[in-house]
Amino acid sequence: MDMSSRLEVWQQLAESCGLSTLQQGLQQVWRLLLLCLICRLCFRLGGVSTVKHVVSALAGMYSLFLFFELHMMWVLLLSALCYLVLLLSRYSSSRGLFLSVVILIYLLTGELHLIDMVTWHKIRGSQMVVAMKAISLAFDLDRGAIGSLPSPAEFFGYILFVGTVVFGPWISFPTYKNAVEGKKLSWSWLQSSSLSLLKSQICLLVSTCIAPYLFPLFIPIHGNSVTYKWLRAYENAVSFHFSNYFVGHLSEGTSMLAGAGFTEEKDNIKWDMSVVKPLSVEMPRSMVLVVTSWNVPMSRWLKTYVFKNAMKLGTFAAILLTYSASALLHGLSFHLGAVLLSLGFITYVEHALRKKLAAIFSACILSRPCASDCSHQHKKEYWVMLLNVLFSLLTIFHLTYLGSMFDPGVDEQEVEEGYAAIHTIQRWSELNWASHWLVFACWVFYRLIQ
């Protein structure tokens, strides 16, 4: 395809896909953005704190109705159940664990017996945010980080906070309380919110209109039957990545617009909420950093409330339990469960192998960048940088393989109901289970040099 033909196709794609995608995206979120702004202004006007919490809860309920209509009742039911459990167990020292079990039973029962699959997948994100908020609150009460059980107004204002209840992200109870205080309106607040919303629309365009046509329309690379499969897999992975960045940046924008997501140093307020870090995923140093950059608040939540509590079982068991908890929060989806558990094994093997090699060579090749005053002898030699690049390419390979199943070209009904197990197996079989075999080989190599 010559350049003139390529430009003509790009123009047609921009007209047929780009404009309609942006229009549909704005139509879906403009009322949510307006609710966030109204909530922010109400917080700023001052008044009784109880009224602010009620406004937060009512705005969140209306936003749920806008997106899920009467199906929002399932989210409200989970919220009420969480508060009832916390109220009945207010004298217990194991509220976090008990509430986690109750929420898990509720989610499994709802998915398996009470709600049809399409509806459940639509409300799954909001259910997950509510569950994470309630569990974090329960554990914070257990450890004394929060002095007493919040009032009903405070609890439901937090759980149904309009800035996070639809698209996330998870925020802690103290973060919500800071938002309710109503920091003054500023140019930096508006600029940060608008920039995140702009980024979200750009990511939506890339996911929908660019990534599915990456090869050879945008990047003129052709290949045989084997390389074609991997090029298609990379397209699917990139499309899926940018759909996640879309949600992440959108949640940054809604959270900050509603008044959350700032850090305060003396009198200086920085609106710097970060949910996703695309560069750390697309140009990764390691799979460990990919996992933490994919959804920063959720990674922090899993580390604080799952991983640290499970460390008494050992590192590998804690990692496995953490990814299992993440899989269960995402629902009984075979493809997500398979990806998350595979990620658990990949990150563990990668971390262990790089830690061992760093010790053998005394080189800065750990999964995370070393501090400037680390004890390694070799820091910036060419062979050290080459090893880090090799591990980066290995991570991109794993991400391509894991993301190959998220095919934007499959039947829409299948996407709404969740990809079937046969879809996952078929996609990975087409790639000869290459990533799993490679992880196994790395593990064998690690055991040999241990």
Side-chain angles (χ1 to χ4, degrees):
M1 183 183 294
D2 58 21
M3 197 58 186
S4 59
S5 302
R6 197 182 301 276
L7 288 172
E8 185 178 346
V9 174
W10 288 355
Q11 183 179 355
Q12 293 175 356
L13 196 60
E15 294 172 355
S16 61
C17 180
L19 294 177
S20 61
T21 298
L22 286 176
Q23 184 180 8
Q24 290 173 12
L26 292 173
Q27 283 178 347
Q28 288 180 357
V29 302
W30 75 267
R31 287 177 294 185
L32 174 62
L33 300 180
L34 183 61
L35 282 172
C36 291
L37 186 58
I38 292 172
C39 202
R40 172 84 167 97
L41 294 175
C42 289
F43 290 165
R44 182 59 190 158
L45 288 174
V48 183
S49 61
T50 302
V51 175
K52 294 182 180 181
H53 296 307
V54 171
V55 168
S56 175
L58 291 176
M61 289 170 63
Y62 186 58
S63 67
L64 286 173
F65 177 76
L66 290 176
F67 282 86
F68 310 127
E69 297 180 338
L70 292 180
H71 297 308
M72 76 171 193
M73 296 305 298
W74 294 106
V75 182
L76 299 183
L77 181 60
L78 175 60
S79 306
L81 177 64
C82 290
Y83 192 72
L84 179 63
V85 170
L86 288 175
L87 193 63
L88 294 177
S89 61
R90 60 187 179 277
Y91 300 115
S92 171
S93 60
S94 302
R95 284 168 286 193
L97 186 60
F98 182 59
L99 182 61
S100 300
V101 173
V102 172
I103 288 175
L104 179 60
I105 293 172
Y106 174 86
L107 294 177
L108 293 178
T109 304
E111 185 166 4
L112 293 174
H113 301 292
L114 300 179
I115 316 174
D116 65 274
M117 196 65 71
V118 173
T119 301
W120 185 262
H121 277 267
K122 287 180 180 178
I123 65 174
R124 182 176 59 190
S126 291
Q127 298 268 44
M128 184 162 55
V129 172
V130 167
M132 290 169 65
K133 285 182 177 180
I135 291 171
S136 66
L137 178 61
F139 276 110
D140 286 344
L141 286 167
D142 287 341
R143 64 183 59 162
I146 295 175
S148 60
L149 180 66
S151 67
E154 287 177 316
F155 177 82
F156 288 104
Y158 167 54
I159 292 292
L160 301 174
F161 177 54
V162 67
T164 62
V165 73
V166 177
F167 294 103
W170 166 79
I171 59 172
S172 65
F173 184 67
T175 300
Y176 165 73
K177 293 273 284 186
N178 289 336
V180 172
E181 289 179 6
K183 299 298 179 183
K184 67 177 182 179
L185 305 180
S186 63
W187 170 248
S188 63
W189 159 72
L190 185 61
Q191 186 181 37
S192 299
S193 304
S194 302
L195 183 60
S196 290
L197 294 172
L198 177 62
K199 288 179 183 177
S200 73
Q201 295 305 304
I202 293 172
C203 291
L204 179 62
L205 278 176
V206 174
S207 174
T208 309
C209 303
I210 295 178
Y213 312 100
L214 202 56
F215 305 106
L217 188 56
F218 289 93
I219 302 176
I221 297 178
H222 303 268
N224 53 34
S225 58
V226 176
T227 54
Y228 174 76
K229 290 178 182 178
W230 283 98
L231 292 176
R232 287 291 299 156
Y234 185 75
E235 285 179 344
N236 294 345
V238 170
S239 179
F240 175 64
H241 293 177
F242 276 85
S243 68
N244 176 69
Y245 306 150
F246 159 67
V247 175
H249 285 308
L250 180 59
S251 66
E252 291 172 2
T254 56
S255 299
M256 288 189 287
L257 199 61
F262 62 87
T263 54
E264 191 171 6
E265 297 178 2
K266 297 181 180 179
D267 295 330
N268 185 30
I269 296 176
K270 293 178 63 177
W271 295 89
D272 54 359
M273 172 173 273
S274 177
V275 176
V276 289
K277 298 179 179 178
L279 286 178
S280 297
V281 178
E282 301 306 320
M283 293 185 290
R285 175 186 174 90
S286 66
M287 189 62 85
V288 172
L289 291 183
V290 166
V291 170
T292 57
S293 303
W294 183 258
N295 188 320
V296 177
M298 185 168 191
S299 175
R300 189 181 305 123
W301 183 90
L302 288 168
K303 180 181 180 180
T304 304
Y305 301 105
V306 182
F307 182 77
K308 288 183 177 179
N309 290 326
M311 270 302 289
K312 63 187 75 171
L313 303 174
T315 303
F316 179 71
I319 290 174
L320 199 59
L321 190 60
T322 301
Y323 282 98
S324 299
S326 179
L328 288 171
L329 280 172
H330 282 86
L332 293 178
S333 171
F334 180 85
H335 72 288
L336 282 176
V339 168
L340 289 169
L341 290 177
S342 297
L343 275 173
F345 286 105
I346 292 171
T347 52
Y348 174 76
V349 172
E350 178 197 52
H351 171 74
L353 177 59
R354 294 182 74 160
K355 185 177 180 181
K356 187 64 179 178
L357 291 175
I360 292 173
F361 296 113
S362 187
C364 295
I365 52 175
L366 293 169
S367 298
R368 297 178 183 276
C370 292
S372 58
D373 58 346
C374 71
S375 60
H376 295 133
Q377 295 178 4
H378 307 288
K379 301 178 184 294
K380 295 184 179 181
E381 284 85 343
Y382 286 116
W383 63 270
V384 173
M385 291 189 288
L386 185 61
L387 274 176
N388 283 320
V389 168
L390 184 63
F391 277 112
S392 295
L393 294 174
L394 194 61
T395 300
I396 294 173
F397 174 81
H398 288 309
L399 287 172
T400 300
Y401 175 85
L402 294 174
S404 62
M405 71 179 72
F406 299 98
D407 189 349
V410 300
D411 181 64
E412 186 176 347
Q413 182 73 13
E414 184 179 358
V415 176
E416 289 181 349
E417 294 181 358
Y419 295 101
I422 188 64
H423 174 84
T424 303
I425 295 170
Q426 180 183 350
R427 284 287 183 270
W428 284 351
S429 296
E430 290 175 356
L431 301 177
N432 301 312
W433 302 90
S435 182
H436 288 95
W437 282 114
L438 189 55
V439 171
F440 178 70
C442 289
W443 178 79
V444 171
F445 179 62
Y446 163 72
R447 296 297 295 179
L448 288 174
I449 64 175
Q450 194 175 16

